[in-house]
Amino acid sequence: MTPVAVLFDADGVLQRATFDWFARLGSLVPADSEAFIADLMAAERPALVGKGDFREALGDVLRRWNSASTVDEAFEPWTWFAAEPAAIELVGTLRTAGVQCHLATNQHAYRRAIMQDERGYGAWFDQTFYSCDLGLAKPDPAYFRAILSTIDVPASEVLFIDDSQANVAAASTVGLRAEAYDLSAGVPALRDLLRRYDLPV
């Protein structure tokens, strides 16, 4: 059965980093950059489900590590991303053919504002599902159940595409047809994946 709806992850599927943001984050402290970055990622998690303010958490981490960098300097790498035009074109082709296309992504409120409000991601999809709005994040199966209840499409008729195997596995547990894809493989690989499900691209 051809899916009637497709859920697309953002980072690593439809958009890519434009600069080496891990190198930039590592430069904010003089030593043990891997542990510092791990601390930053841990500090981001509550904000991904809408709990707490990420910029405040970022400031706490900088102080804990005695970093001389400002919150603005540390936050900047989270703005270093761009949508892949050819991938977005595929989304448009599917929607023109009548296939529902939704964005399903883990983001804190600041990045959601950049994507949705500043860069117009909402216009590219039927609906957008940001984890900070849902109060749930992948790979929690409840995240996918919340989306299914909103779009009112049976799980078996929805295809989910993500670059994380953990997220793909979690989506499968609630009955979605789930596939792993990484933008680094090239947009033709994404087109081939969609065609395997007889989707009109």
Side-chain angles (χ1 to χ4, degrees), residues 147-160:
I147 293 176
L148 289 171
S149 68
T150 301
I151 66 175
D152 196 26
V153 176
S156 61
E157 297 179 27
V158 178
L159 173 63
F160 169 67

Side-chain angles (χ1 to χ4, degrees), residues 15-165:
Q15 66 188 26
R16 66 174 84 242
T18 51
F19 297 98
D20 187 345
W21 67 305
F22 277 95
R24 170 62 179 274
L25 291 176
S27 72
L28 301 180
V29 291
D32 207 2
S33 61
E34 288 187 12
F36 172 69
I37 293 172
D39 202 0
L40 287 174
M41 297 301 106
E44 183 186 30
R45 288 190 199 110
L48 294 178
V49 292
K51 296 179 180 178
D53 185 291
F54 177 56
R55 288 178 65 91
E56 291 180 5
L58 195 54
D60 290 342
V61 174
L62 293 174
R63 285 188 290 274
R64 188 158 58 243
W65 284 79
N66 296 313
S67 173
S69 298
T70 66
V71 169
D72 285 342
E73 290 169 338
F75 181 78
E76 188 178 18
W78 272 268
T79 71
W80 291 348
F81 65 91
E84 173 56 52
I88 300 304
E89 184 178 347
L90 287 180
V91 174
T93 299
L94 289 172
R95 292 185 70 199
T96 298
V99 179
Q100 294 182 35
C101 293
H102 308 289
L103 184 67
T105 181
N106 287 351
Q107 305 292 341
H108 54 67
Y110 290 106
R111 208 156 188 253
R112 177 209 183 279
I114 294 171
M115 294 169 66
Q116 192 78 0
D117 303 330
E118 295 180 19
R119 303 190 186 179
Y121 277 47
W124 302 337
F125 302 93
D126 291 283
Q127 295 186 72
T128 52
F129 297 98
Y130 295 90
S131 60
C132 61
D133 294 334
L134 292 179
L136 298 161
K138 299 175 287 186
D140 186 344
Y143 172 88
F144 301 103
R145 294 192 190 100
I147 293 176
L148 289 171
S149 68
T150 301
I151 66 175
D152 196 26
V153 176
S156 61
E157 297 179 27
V158 178
L159 173 63
F160 169 67
I161 302 172
D162 198 289
D163 64 326
S164 163
Q165 289 287 354

